[in-house]
Amino acid sequence: MTELKLEKPRSQWRDVWAQFRRHKGAMAALVLLIALASFVLIGPLVWRIDPNFIEPNTAKMFKLRNLGPSWDHPLGTDQLGRDMLARMMFGGRISLAVGSVAMLVALFIGTTIGVLAGYFRRLDSWLMRLTDLFLALPLLPLLLVMMFLFRETVAGIMGPRLGTFMLIVVAIGITSWMQAARVVRGEVLALKEREFVLAARSVGTPARRIITRHILTNVLSPVLVAATLGIAAAIITESVLSFLGLGFPPDFPTWGRLLYDGIDAIRTYPERVVWPGLAISLTVLSVNYIGDGLRDALDPRIRGR
Amino acid sequence: MLDATQSTVRPLVEVTGLKMYFPILTGILRRHTGDVKAVDGVSFSIQPGETLGLVGESGCGKSTVGRALLRLYEPTAGKVVIDGEDVASLDAEALRRKRPAMQMVFQDPQASLNPRMTVADIIGEPLIEHANMSEQDRLRRIYELMDQVGLNRSFANRYPYAFSGGQRQRIGIARALALNPRFIVCDEPIAALDVSIQAQVVNLLEDLQDRLGLTYLFISHDLSMVRHIADRVAVMYLGRIAELSPRDALYARPLHPYAEALLSAVNEPDPNRARRQRIILKGDVPSPANPPKGCNFCTRCPKVFDLCRSVKPELAEVEPGRFVACHLYADTKTAAGANRTATEAKS
């Protein structure tokens, strides 16, 4: 055989992309998510109003309160006369960042614990009791205590903003990994007995590479589902914390914060609840659809049909 | 093919007193209350280039023997000497280095291939693990293996779902061959395939054996297929070998009552030929967690007598090359097999 007969197997990522593009919902969701992301990232560069700007002149400030949509303030103003559009943009940055990073943290912990518990029988009971322990803990008080105890320390190390962000992300992450861990463990327990894992063992593949090569690739679908749900849960949890005064500082807008601020005035100014609510829902929806499309695209059995 | 009776060559595989017990844990405290004796003292040897068929009904421990041989299970007791090394007692690193010499072809070609890996990845996995090859060399080897098992090279990029059962089994065989093993355990490689495909796969296995000098342990419940491929056949019942004989002798005149009953169930393709009298066994196989006190077969044996119920018969050579574990042949036991120590399988 000569060299030229050796055609290299082509990369599968083009197939994945081709299949992903065939999923209409996922493509629409991807466009939507990109739109949302550019709204919060590029938006503030165009719409240059400080979201925390309150008119210092009290008389003027009173006139600026609770305005409806206008050319100056397309989404109106809030009860202190701050521009809602600017607040939505800045709030979105925080919410999206908290949602995705906290989800990644939760997913990382959950998948690690799930895989270890499922694959290594000796660790199973210990890790699953730990999971049960976390599931049984009342999460909100735990979160509050964590925030209360560590906020000053972390803020001292990393600065108030980054410190709060890291603390919130880690706090949400380590209180929401349990579902993922249980689902992954169940999948791994089933996968471990499949013959292809046995075949890999008979080849002499060490456990760590069996896990990365055979187990992790096959637990992808439940992990993706957990991830999409996790983003939504993280955004909501962050808003709960902010609402209780233990998240970001009160003048620091996030979508969840805006939502809670708006609730007081929901009868008179329903749009103040609608906009952040809509933004959160659209984010969750689009992430969900993208996860769906990604799962299909990464499954070779569905791909190419 | 080798004649089984020649024993001058050192056997490639020598199994002595292999036991595989799965513990039964009960109660909240998971106390060890008993064992499922899946394999209970099995001894045999396989000559280089030989095919040993391992037959028996479902649940008799055939697959467990195959897996314990490759140490996919940790055997409870016994020695498995493959090519001079006792696989059952090797430490992890030595075992890993030993792996290339012994490979396995699995029963269900659907389940034995990772659905998320391409054919090239699947066949290449053993090469990545053991052979320090450049990517180019590895690819060449993968294509070579695909040629060897009769797979089109253009399939290298495809995923297992795109293949038929027979093709999938070829992928499994190619993976087993990747590291040039000397010994392959075929764990019911044809049970999940159509009859027409079965012949192809078995012929492929025979063909590869001739070309590469492979040694097989061919586990199957398909007696006709075993007759086709095996040189010697071991009949298992409830975790023990009932009879181990050269193929032709066994099929012509089975000695153990269980082997006799099992072989009487083989269909004769030619309707004009006189059919063997069917022996229909009564009752069920006893639980391997609680086997009978004497001979494992004593609850169903048509020729049972008192001794069978109290003493377990040992596998002994009753005729040259034929080993039977049955009290019916006990008187001939002392006469034959003085130099053959195929079994010291009592613990």
Side-chain angles (χ1 to χ4, degrees), chain B residues 38-51:
Chain B
V39 178
D40 193 9
V42 161
S43 304
F44 57 84
S45 59
I46 311 176
Q47 303 294 329
E50 187 191 26
T51 302

Side-chain angles (χ1 to χ4, degrees), chain A residues 1-7, chain B residues 136-137 140:
Chain A
M1 281 305 129
T2 47
E3 295 287 321
L4 51 136
K5 279 292 277 179
L6 302 179
E7 178 204 348
Chain B
Q136 193 65 215
D137 286 347
R140 188 179 305 125

Side-chain angles (χ1 to χ4, degrees), chain A:
Chain A
M1 281 305 129
T2 47
E3 295 287 321
L4 51 136
K5 279 292 277 179
L6 302 179
E7 178 204 348
K8 196 170 161 32
R10 74 171 184 269
S11 155
Q12 57 163 319
W13 292 107
R14 274 178 39 207
D15 297 348
V16 171
W17 175 238
Q19 172 66 27
F20 187 81
R21 283 184 42 179
R22 284 169 55 182
H23 196 298
K24 289 198 184 67
M27 279 311 282
L30 187 65
V31 170
L32 183 64
L33 193 69
I34 290 173
L36 275 166
S38 47
F39 171 71
V40 303
L41 291 176
I42 305 170
L45 303 176
V46 181
W47 188 252
R48 311 182 71 98
I49 294 182
D50 183 357
N52 290 324
F53 176 75
I54 303 172
E55 182 59 51
N57 184 330
T58 319
K60 272 190 185 168
M61 191 274 266
F62 264 76
K63 276 189 195 159
L64 278 172
R65 290 173 67 214
N66 300 327
L67 290 181
S70 67
W71 283 116
D72 286 344
H73 304 289
L75 297 182
T77 57
D78 68 359
Q79 74 279 11
L80 293 175
R82 291 173 294 197
D83 181 60
M84 278 297 285
L85 182 61
R87 288 180 77 73
M88 282 287 292
M89 285 170 177
F90 270 91
R93 284 186 171 183
I94 304 296
S95 286
L96 288 184
V98 167
S100 39
V101 178
M103 176 271 289
L104 286 179
V105 172
L107 221 55
F108 178 75
I109 302 176
T111 313
T112 309
I113 292 200
V115 166
L116 290 179
Y119 195 83
F120 300 104
R121 181 177 283 189
R122 238 173 300 158
L123 297 175
D124 189 18
S125 60
W126 293 102
L127 289 177
M128 284 340 273
R129 291 306 78 75
L130 180 75
T131 311
D132 289 343
L133 184 90
F134 267 87
L135 276 174
L137 282 175
L139 289 187
L140 204 53
L142 181 75
L143 273 173
L144 295 182
V145 169
M146 276 175 69
M147 301 300 297
F148 188 76
L149 286 179
F150 300 123
R151 186 145 64 153
E152 300 296 314
T153 335
V154 179
I157 298 167
M158 296 193 221
R161 279 203 180 175
L162 189 63
T164 318
F165 178 78
M166 288 307 290
L167 191 56
I168 288 184
V169 159
V170 170
I172 294 176
I174 64 170
T175 50
S176 55
W177 53 268
M178 292 80 75
Q179 315 296 341
R182 303 209 120 204
V183 173
V184 168
R185 170 185 172 263
E187 284 283 311
V188 172
L189 279 180
L191 278 173
K192 187 173 74 162
E193 300 302 323
R194 294 277 297 274
E195 280 185 339
F196 65 80
V197 175
L198 211 59
R201 276 176 56 206
S202 79
V203 163
T205 311
R208 58 178 187 282
R209 280 205 287 280
I210 291 184
I211 288 175
T212 51
R213 195 180 293 152
H214 297 286
I215 304 271
L216 282 181
T217 49
N218 280 292
V219 294
L220 205 66
S221 342
V223 166
L224 275 176
V225 173
T228 55
L229 296 176
I231 285 192
I235 291 178
I236 303 290
T237 313
E238 181 274 319
S239 61
V240 173
L241 282 177
S242 302
F243 180 64
L244 293 170
L246 285 162
F248 290 99
D251 61 333
F252 204 74
T254 69
W255 282 346
R257 180 98 212 163
L258 295 176
L259 193 66
Y260 277 109
D261 285 351
I263 281 178
D264 295 337
I266 191 168
R267 299 250 172 132
T268 29
Y269 309 106
E271 71 272 13
R272 251 185 251 159
V273 178
V274 169
W275 291 121
L278 197 65
I280 295 177
S281 313
L282 285 180
T283 310
V284 172
L285 193 71
S286 57
V287 170
N288 227 320
Y289 264 97
I290 290 172
D292 202 30
L294 212 53
R295 190 186 54 199
D296 287 1
L298 289 174
D299 190 336
R301 278 160 296 187
I302 295 171
R303 188 161 70 226
R305 291 261 163 98

